[in-house]
Amino acid sequence: MDSATTLLVIGAAVAAVLLVVALGLLVRLVRARRALRRAGLPTGPRWVFWGAVAYLLLPTDLLPDPVYLDDIAVLLLALRSLRAARPLPPGPTET
């Protein structure tokens, strides 16, 4: 194999790994949204969820699509904001 083919194979492998990581984060995001929706998540963080999914799926990115680092960052920020918006459990009632 010549060096161009080797670089192409390495680039494809790195892109595949980053895609798997992005898809794994998307699955975590969907699961977190379901859990938080059942717990009474306010409407605002739902927009964050749909914004992150749209950013992942839209062809316009900050970085070219073979580099999924920006998509991963957006998904991680969405997960963080969803977890921060988690409703507090009801406290003990005072008698």
Side-chain angles (χ1 to χ4, degrees), residues 10-41:
I10 291 172
V14 168
V17 168
L18 289 174
L19 178 62
V20 168
V21 170
L23 290 175
L25 286 172
L26 180 62
V27 168
R28 285 183 57 195
L29 184 66
V30 169
R31 287 180 183 162
R33 181 183 174 274
R34 282 184 192 157
L36 293 173
R37 188 174 183 191
R38 284 190 299 261
L41 181 68

